[in-house]
Amino acid sequence: MSETIQTLLQESRTFPPTPEFVAQANANDPKIYQDAAADPEGFWEGWAKQLDWFEPWHTVCDFQPPYAQWFVGGKINAAYNCVDRHALGDRKDKIAIIGEGEPGDTRFITYGELKDQVSQLANALKALGVGKGDRVSVYMPMIPELAVTMLACARIGAAHSVVFGGFSADSLAERTNDAKCKVIVTADGGWRRGNIVPLKNTVDETMDLGCPTVTNVLVLKRVGTPGEVTNGVVTPEYSQGSWVEGRDIWWHDLVPQQSTDCPCEPMDSEDLLFVLYTSGSTGHPKGIVHTTGGYLTGTYATSKLVFDLKEDDVHFCTADCGWVTGHSYIVYGPMANGATVLMFEGAPDTPDKDRFWRIIEKHKATILYTAPTAIRAFMKWGDEYPNRCDLSSLRLLGSVGEPINPEAWIWYQQTIGKGNCPVVDTWWQTETGAIMISPLPGITPTKPGSATQPFPGISVSVYNEKGEGKEVTGPGIIDSAAGGFLVLTKPWPSMTRGIFNDPARFQKTYWSKFDNAYFAGDGVKLDEEGYLWLLGRVDDIMLVAGHNISTMEVESALVDHPSVAEAAVIGKTHDIKGQAIAAFVILRGGHQNHDGLVDELKKHVAHKIGALARPDDIFISAELPKTRSGKIMRRLLRDVAEGRALGDTTTLADPNVVHLLRDKYEASEG
Ligand code: WT7
């Protein structure tokens, strides 16, 4: 990490916005920062007024740390704002969603059609007994019906809990049961690298594990039976699962028959919109709660200013809707703005490594929002792939998920943006709901590797261990450099309203380190010009390919294997993924290391959590470095895995253990 800090702080290139971009930008007057800082509530209220409300609020913000309420007393519906108001207005025939399936099948859905589809599914969910206040698990491929499902839930006041399609049955069951979901909406499968992700089969396994609150499984036919042809691509063999009569219902047997009339439920501004599970450092996932009015206001405003969204834009966010990025910047933010969004089902290297660039060329995408891990993979694959495609439609590039190294930033700006597109590096979290730190592309000179400034109306401070620190109020306002913990000191509309059913954990995780301030868990450095440089997590969360995975979660999955006695997991620097998972494992008495055991353990973790948590390295060891009180010193394991000099070993019960471990580890690395 110290190396990262060094390279980051040596970065001195700056890229001011071009006059052409400034002239047309949604935000081009730096005064927006001063105005918002002088009256943050007034600033946010101005944005809320751009949404359609059934009834106005009486109080803008009521903050009783750690909980805030926004637009209190207001009545609103998210689906109405993302669909109906466009369908009923000038955007009826405007494309809302371009669905690009992995086999190359493409669908265009207008706002008018979207309104009908969302309404029919909403009525179908009602027919299955889902109503206001209920929860629905959504386990689907990245196809338009996933957005339709989220919006249908919002329409009737049911909260969705979208679970990424790469998660295992165990993970889906845990999340479904924690949220007490009534229905699971899924598909027979989805396409990934020419194979089928057998979603319905995994839902069957999930139900076998026991989901007592689930009464029905609604199944969309996406891939069909092996041998079927989609856009010239034949569906390969996959596990189709079984069909449980009464429980399982085909989407096509229920949804198209429904009425296209379904009123939008007037929701309280503070009613639950969705729960989204994210890794926590104690192991089991946290159900992050977002409510309606504030979340929509935050995602609407940031979409408009950070992505500079305009009527003709084609917004291509490459995230999956299983993550918050897909919630906020495919569905709610862009659609509240009436934008055209692209949804891509597959992998960036299928059928070839130019797939993203082909999609941009084909649909004339104007905005690309992707992750550093993807950008680094593209760099490695080579410039020939983007260079053989026409990327001239692009006008803005975004990055999210982890710190972007200056080299990748420059490559993105040059090779993809041809030097003509502002790059916005956006810092935020599942918990923050919307972008918190980012350049405004028509105002902020960017520095490669820095997320630059807090969004207007957002109060960021950099604290030291004692909770003393500096507020970052805007360009040129601070006087000297500081480094430390990133905290948010004032409430904002899209902030999480807590952890589903676990207020104590919410208080402890985010609000106990510092008084009355939200601690994000990230380290940050502030430079002399008031620019923020994010340095990654300071806790036990790893950022693997931009996704949160907790070390504890992987450790429990390993220890769950019959031959494992103890496991210590760390994130190890990785060229492309940012961090890779490395595990140190002690076997149980009577169990020997043997050929294939490491692979078996990797598979076991993938099976328990999902393929994204599969460790890259597993090292079987006789002992682990422990303190006298028996705590594993992961810091030293990180030193071993990174090939660094060992840090302080004086608190170890037996310092020899770690030296021996290092020698063996290095020998095994060859
Ligand atoms: C964590 C949140 C928000 C969408 C994706 C991840 C890291 C996110 C950046 C960035 C440096 C970043 C932080 C944060 N992170 N964006 N631009 N620069 N770090 O959502 O899974 O809730 O993860 O991702 O460490 O805390 P998430």
Side-chain angles (χ1 to χ4, degrees):
M1 186 52 76
S2 59
E3 245 171 68
T4 320
I5 300 174
Q6 281 314 315
T7 23
L8 284 180
L9 295 181
Q10 280 159 16
E11 181 56 55
S12 58
R13 290 168 282 193
T14 55
F15 296 84
T18 62
E20 300 77 54
F21 195 92
V22 174
Q24 61 80 61
N26 287 343
N28 52 17
D29 184 352
K31 211 170 146 278
I32 190 173
Y33 286 102
Q34 277 81 40
D35 291 349
D39 180 14
E41 289 191 9
F43 173 79
W44 289 118
E45 184 171 35
W47 285 101
K49 282 183 179 159
Q50 296 185 36
L51 299 173
D52 283 19
W53 296 75
F54 299 122
E55 279 175 43
W57 52 91
H58 53 73
T59 305
V60 175
C61 176
D62 178 3
F63 184 40
Q64 315 280 340
Y67 295 102
Q69 297 185 47
W70 282 84
F71 313 115
V72 191
K75 300 266 188 256
I76 188 169
N77 184 286
Y80 184 86
N81 276 280
C82 293
V83 183
D84 294 46
R85 65 167 175 163
H86 312 307
L88 300 171
D90 297 343
R91 299 189 180 111
K92 179 167 176 284
D93 298 320
K94 177 176 176 176
I95 305 294
I97 303 177
I98 303 173
E100 175 80 16
E102 190 181 86
D105 51 322
T106 305
R107 279 189 296 159
F108 299 93
I109 301 171
T110 65
Y111 273 102
E113 290 162 345
L114 185 62
K115 178 172 176 289
D116 289 350
Q117 292 184 19
V118 169
S119 300
Q120 286 184 318
L121 180 61
N123 280 326
L125 289 171
K126 279 188 184 170
L128 296 178
V130 178
K132 185 172 176 175
D134 290 331
R135 270 91 48 210
V136 173
S137 263
V138 184
Y139 188 64
M140 296 187 84
M142 259 301 282
I143 56 176
E145 285 82 356
L146 171 47
V148 169
T149 305
M150 293 163 72
L151 292 163
C153 290
R155 191 171 196 91
I156 60 174
H160 49 75
S161 164
V162 184
V163 178
F164 172 58
F167 276 121
S168 66
D170 282 66
S171 298
L172 178 59
E174 187 175 27
R175 287 158 172 77
T176 302
N177 290 335
D178 188 78
K180 300 195 172 57
C181 295
K182 250 193 182 163
V183 164
I184 300 179
V185 183
T186 190
D188 50 0
W191 289 92
R192 184 86 189 161
R193 296 211 163 85
N195 295 315
I196 301 302
V197 183
L199 297 167
K200 172 59 168 62
N201 186 57
T202 306
V203 172
D204 289 348
E205 289 173 20
T206 305
M207 292 303 292
D208 290 345
L209 291 166
C211 293
T213 57
V214 175
T215 49
N216 290 105
V217 177
L218 184 63
V219 191
L220 178 82
K221 184 175 156 199
R222 164 63 184 142
V223 297
T225 45
E228 277 194 57
V229 180
T230 311
N231 220 50
V233 180
V234 182
T235 303
E237 286 299 326
Y238 71 100
S239 315
Q240 286 174 269
S242 49
W243 198 259
V244 178
E245 285 304 330
R247 182 194 79 184
D248 298 345
I249 297 164
W250 281 112
W251 178 299
H252 56 254
D253 285 341
L254 183 69
V255 181
Q257 290 79 343
Q258 303 294 319
S259 159
T260 53
D261 254 339
C262 177
C264 290
E265 193 71 37
M267 303 298 285
D268 194 278
S269 179
E270 283 301 329
D271 276 337
L272 186 61
L273 178 61
F274 65 85
V275 182
L276 181 58
Y277 285 84
T278 182
S279 287
S281 46
T282 57
H284 71 105
K286 303 174 285 204
I288 299 301
V289 166
H290 282 289
T291 58
T292 312
Y295 172 80
L296 209 58
T297 303
T299 53
Y300 171 77
T302 49
S303 294
K304 186 148 197 144
L305 296 193
V306 174
F307 300 117
D308 194 48
L309 264 186
K310 300 277 166 43
E311 202 54 50
D312 306 333
D313 276 316
V314 175
H315 182 73
F316 183 18
C317 165
T318 67
D320 191 287
C321 285
W323 313 110
V324 75
T325 308
H327 284 61
S328 299
Y329 298 110
I330 293 178
V331 180
Y332 291 108
M335 291 197 180
N337 279 281
T340 298
V341 301
L342 245 164
M343 289 179 78
F344 173 48
E345 176 187 30
D349 57 355
T350 308
D352 204 351
K353 296 190 174 71
D354 60 4
R355 188 62 191 271
F356 277 14
W357 323 124
R358 290 283 175 220
I359 291 173
I360 290 166
E361 177 179 75
K362 178 170 169 189
H363 300 296
K364 303 205 165 28
T366 56
I367 299 168
L368 174 65
Y369 191 34
T370 195
T373 181
I375 298 168
R376 289 190 294 263
F378 300 145
M379 280 173 78
K380 196 184 128 198
W381 293 344
D383 293 4
E384 64 197 89
Y385 298 104
N387 286 352
R388 70 189 184 198
C389 302
D390 178 5
L391 304 181
S392 60
S393 56
L394 285 174
R395 64 179 202 92
L396 186 139
L397 304 173
S399 170
V400 62
E402 57 182 309
I404 178 164
N405 44 308
E407 196 196 351
W409 193 104
I410 294 284
W411 183 86
Y412 195 31
Q413 199 249 13
Q414 294 293 324
T415 310
I416 305 305
K418 317 291 178 202
N420 295 322
C421 304
V423 175
V424 291
D425 172 11
T426 61
W427 180 91
W428 58 296
Q429 307 179 297
T430 306
E431 296 86 338
T432 68
I435 292 166
M436 297 285 104
I437 303 175
S438 165
L440 289 183
I443 298 177
T444 320
T446 50
K447 300 186 188 186
S450 167
T452 75
Q453 304 286 334
F455 188 81
I458 299 299
S459 294
V460 168
S461 284
V462 180
Y463 277 5
N464 67 14
E465 193 61 64
K466 290 190 210 122
E468 304 153 345
K470 276 180 192 305
E471 185 161 353
V472 188
T473 36
I477 296 177
I478 56 121
D479 44 22
S480 70
F485 301 102
L486 175 66
V487 296
L488 297 163
T489 49
K490 286 205 183 83
W492 64 98
S494 66
M495 67 196 277
T496 176
R497 304 307 196 258
I499 299 177
F500 195 75
N501 275 336
D502 202 344
R505 190 176 180 197
F506 180 56
Q507 165 75 39
K508 184 162 177 286
T509 309
Y510 306 100
W511 297 87
S512 64
K513 191 168 174 73
F514 304 114
D515 284 341
N516 293 334
Y518 171 86
F519 171 48
D522 283 32
V524 65
K525 177 98 190 160
L526 187 62
D527 74 14
E528 285 78 359
E529 291 170 320
Y531 277 62
L532 291 159
W533 301 79
L534 277 304
L535 303 175
R537 306 286 310 175
V538 300
D539 55 17
D540 291 325
I541 307 281
M542 299 173 286
L543 279 170
V544 180
H547 299 304
N548 268 340
I549 299 171
S550 99
T551 53
M552 265 33 143
E553 207 173 357
V554 179
E555 284 166 9
S556 341
L558 282 165
V559 177
D560 176 79
H561 188 278
S563 54
V564 175
E566 222 176 336
V569 166
I570 55 147
K572 167 181 170 175
T573 308
H574 185 277
D575 283 352
I576 290 175
K577 293 196 274 191
Q579 285 191 305
I581 302 177
F584 294 80
V585 163
I586 301 182
L587 299 182
R588 278 173 193 256
H591 290 260
Q592 301 292 321
N593 190 2
H594 58 81
D595 270 3
L597 178 63
V598 162
D599 272 347
E600 192 181 316
L601 295 178
K602 288 182 183 177
K603 261 196 209 126
H604 188 71
V605 175
H607 175 76
K608 293 299 286 185
I609 307 174
L612 71 169
R614 177 196 296 268
D616 280 67
D617 297 321
I618 294 184
F619 184 74
I620 311 266
S621 172
E623 283 180 279
L624 292 173
K626 289 185 182 166
T627 61
R628 274 168 279 252
S629 61
K631 259 179 86 176
I632 298 173
M633 287 189 75
R634 289 186 181 70
R635 164 171 72 72
L636 293 173
L637 293 175
R638 269 192 288 269
D639 292 340
V640 169
E642 307 266 14
R644 285 191 300 246
L646 294 173
D648 183 9
T649 57
T650 52
T651 53
L652 283 178
D654 177 1
N656 276 329
V657 168
V658 69
H659 290 285
L660 219 80
L661 182 74
R662 185 190 49 192
D663 295 346
K664 289 203 177 141
Y665 186 86
E666 282 171 2
S668 80
E669 295 254 281

